[in-house]
Amino acid sequence: MKEITGETKLFGILADPIHHVKTPQRMNEYFARAGYDGVLVPFHARSDNLAPVLNGLKRLENLGGIIVTVPHKTAILALCDDASDLTRKIGAANVVRREPDGRLTAHMLDGEGFVRGLRSCGHEVKGKTAYMVGAGGAANAIAFALLRYGVSCLTIANRTVAKAEDLKSRVLDLYPQACINIGTSDPSGHDIVINATSLGLKEGDALPLDASKLRTGQVVCEVIMQPVETAMLQAARERGCAVHYGAPMLACQIELMAEFLGVTAAG
Ligand code: NDP
């Protein structure tokens, strides 16, 4: 990292809890590689303080932007001044840029990061069937990205079924011809299987899906980064599936976030 001076641009990641986040390490490494004079630090804020925290941060003239993660991705969108149509349809944001006039522009990159991460490991989504468990912030973004990149059919399963139904109807608004089903815990018959819930983060968590139904030939994907190999991935590996970890999703997002935040390599 460059020496921090009065010229250094400030970035942060807003989360609660915050101890597990990997973005500060990854983004500061990126700044160092690019020779960029910036620093990203953890901002630990509770949900009931999100609005006043953001209101104060946006008044910092040297703030470049903010990365946003659990549990703030949905709430942050309503607190920002601008967002793309797609971000509004997804209904959640994970990066916010401070414009020179102090306005905040929100964007969502979880979906793009997930699909790019998958492709970087040799797994194409075009023409494939996908099963995704989850309907939270990350799952919403992933669903839109899977359709954008051409999955032939998407099955969404979620503990709160109404949230899966709501996600399905918003995706269909944008992709009226899409094949989208609401599923159970059974991922049978799909090429790509994705856990987009937070189940697996904690030791002793239940499996997010019925792993006894996994079969050789399926690519089983995780969004969780810690632990690196969740119980679901372990079960998938034992059943002969290809496994895809959570880390490439973040690695691909770091570049996309830096681009959105206007981080430019030193000439
Ligand atoms: P949200 O809080 O928005 O969504 C959580 C999801 O998990 C919901 O679908 C929720 O279901 C489900 N869930 C939570 N607890 C349970 C449970 N006990 N049983 C069944 N379902 C449960 O979180 P995000 O979508 O923002 O994040 C999800 C995960 O993705 C996190 O682990 C996060 O760390 C990871 N992530 C990883 C990234 C990466 O780069 N690798 C990037 C972004 C996120 P319900 O709707 O019923 O509550």
Side-chain angles (χ1 to χ4, degrees), residues 73 110 134-138 158-160 163 197-199 223 246 249-250:
K73 288 182 193 175
D110 276 343
N158 193 49
R159 173 179 62 178
T160 311
K163 283 171 68 181
T197 75
S198 40
L199 267 183
V223 293
M249 177 175 173
L250 178 62

Side-chain angles (χ1 to χ4, degrees), residues 125-129 149-153 191:
V125 303
K126 194 172 168 55
K128 302 281 171 58
T129 56
Y149 281 92
V151 292
S152 59
C153 203
D191 302 313

Side-chain angles (χ1 to χ4, degrees), residues 5-24:
T5 69
E7 299 288 322
T8 303
K9 202 83 167 168
L10 177 64
F11 299 84
I13 175 164
L14 271 170
D16 180 31
I18 196 113
H19 64 274
H20 64 290
V21 295
K22 300 275 179 276
T23 309

Side-chain angles (χ1 to χ4, degrees), residues 73 90 92 108 110-111 114 132 134-143 196-197 223 249:
K73 288 182 193 175
I90 292 170
M108 176 44 120
D110 276 343
F114 175 78
M132 179 183 74
N140 270 263
I142 290 171
T197 75
V223 293
M249 177 175 173

Side-chain angles (χ1 to χ4, degrees), residues 10-255:
L10 177 64
F11 299 84
I13 175 164
L14 271 170
D16 180 31
I18 196 113
H19 64 274
H20 64 290
V21 295
K22 300 275 179 276
T23 309
Q25 298 93 310
R26 299 292 99 80
M27 191 58 98
N28 288 315
E29 284 162 13
Y30 184 92
F31 289 162
R33 277 200 308 278
Y36 180 77
D37 189 7
V39 61
L40 188 138
V41 296
F43 292 152
H44 187 185
R46 291 199 322 256
S47 290
D48 52 352
N49 279 327
L50 184 63
V53 164
L54 197 67
N55 210 20
L57 285 173
K58 73 190 280 187
R59 288 171 167 73
L60 290 175
E61 299 297 334
N62 62 344
L63 183 80
I66 302 161
I67 312 292
V68 184
T69 189
V70 181
H72 303 312
K73 288 182 193 175
T74 304
I76 202 91
L77 189 54
L79 298 171
C80 288
D81 304 294
D82 293 306
S84 66
D85 284 350
L86 179 61
T87 302
R88 292 208 187 281
K89 280 200 165 59
I90 292 170
N94 72 339
V95 57
V96 175
R97 181 174 64 219
R98 184 189 186 275
E99 309 295 353
D101 62 1
R103 292 171 66 81
L104 297 178
T105 305
H107 195 38
M108 176 44 120
L109 289 166
D110 276 343
E112 187 74 25
F114 175 78
V115 175
R116 286 198 192 197
L118 203 51
R119 294 170 92 191
S120 74
C121 295
H123 303 296
E124 275 303 327
V125 303
K126 194 172 168 55
K128 302 281 171 58
T129 56
Y131 166 96
M132 179 183 74
V133 55
N140 270 263
I142 290 171
F144 279 88
L146 288 172
L147 268 296
R148 188 162 73 253
Y149 281 92
V151 292
S152 59
C153 203
L154 170 64
T155 298
I156 306 169
N158 193 49
R159 173 179 62 178
T160 311
V161 179
K163 283 171 68 181
E165 297 276 8
D166 177 59
L167 172 56
K168 174 182 170 180
S169 82
R170 280 179 293 110
V171 175
L172 282 173
D173 277 348
L174 193 64
Y175 300 99
Q177 310 301 329
C179 163
I180 305 182
N181 301 306
I182 299 300
T184 63
S185 61
D186 182 353
S188 300
H190 295 79
D191 302 313
I192 300 170
V193 174
I194 305 155
N195 175 34
T197 75
S198 40
L199 267 183
L201 269 179
K202 295 194 299 295
E203 218 182 301
D205 272 356
L207 289 179
L209 47 75
D210 183 353
S212 72
K213 299 284 182 359
L214 294 170
R215 294 282 179 274
T216 307
Q218 289 180 308
V219 181
V220 179
C221 312
E222 189 55 90
V223 293
I224 289 172
M225 284 178 293
Q226 198 66 43
V228 172
E229 182 147 304
T230 57
M232 181 195 72
L233 287 187
Q234 229 171 332
R237 184 191 293 290
E238 282 162 15
R239 300 189 67 80
C241 304
V243 299
H244 179 73
Y245 297 101
M249 177 175 173
L250 178 62
C252 288
Q253 283 204 77
I254 291 293
E255 272 180 41

